[in-house]
Amino acid sequence: MNKRRILGLFGDFDAAFAAINDIKAGNVPGVTLDDVEVLSPIEHPDIDEVLEHRKSHVPKFTLLGALFGMIAGFLFLASAQANFLVQPQGGKPVIPLPSNIVLTYEMLILSGVIFTIVSFMVTARLFRKRNPLYSEMITVDQVGVEITLDEGNLAGLKEVFAKHGVLEVREGTL
């Protein structure tokens, strides 16, 4: 079955949230809250409550980056220090741990921050092509509710949108 993408433009947050609550209540078969995105000109504190908690993968990338930075930083320092084996050390260890711990910690922080920023940019879809359904009215004063669904559930969604006073409906395919 073909997937469709629908954008409904609402005049205010109350109408958009009412439509989302109908979807949440199961009035549109085959559509869940994971299929819903809200596009608004301003941040609204109730959006998180209406859409419920969504998983973010950014902390996983932060942990991965921190581990990568710690391991790569220590190996880089140790391999650089091990190249001086032919020089007399005077009883000092070839790889001194106390000084390496500080630099390894700094590489852990730096790599964790870089991975966090890059993963945020990727997961926030900052580099994706502009959505063809996007309306400039969203940046002015309207609220967009974008839903991805199967073509068979399209009529039920349009009924829910019409029930809550949608101003405009735009359709596209995936």
Side-chain angles (χ1 to χ4, degrees), residues 29-87:
V31 178
T32 63
L33 281 183
D34 293 334
D35 303 323
V36 177
E37 287 185 40
V38 176
L39 308 168
S40 72
I42 59 170
E43 183 178 334
H44 195 284
D46 293 338
I47 288 177
D48 289 337
E49 290 178 21
V50 172
L51 292 179
E52 298 178 356
H53 181 69
R54 294 186 175 202
K55 288 184 178 179
S56 172
H57 299 290
V58 173
K60 296 173 191 170
F61 285 102
T62 303
L63 176 64
L64 180 70
L67 291 174
F68 172 77
M70 182 177 69
I71 293 169
F74 184 79
L75 288 177
F76 175 73
L77 288 169
S79 64
Q81 292 161 344
N83 282 334
F84 295 104
L85 277 176
V86 292
Q87 295 181 354

Side-chain angles (χ1 to χ4, degrees), residues 112-161:
V113 168
I114 290 171
F115 271 61
T116 300
I117 291 170
V118 170
S119 66
F120 169 74
M121 289 181 180
V122 170
T123 58
R125 297 181 253 172
L126 294 178
F127 301 115
R128 77 175 179 175
K129 206 167 72 176
R130 188 175 190 166
N131 186 351
L133 297 179
Y134 185 77
S135 170
E136 289 77 20
M137 293 306 294
I138 292 172
T139 59
V140 179
D141 62 349
Q142 294 181 357
V143 179
V145 176
E146 185 174 330
I147 298 175
T148 304
L149 73 163
D150 290 330
E151 210 169 79
N153 302 326
L154 193 60
L157 179 65
K158 284 184 177 180
E159 287 177 18
V160 168
F161 276 179

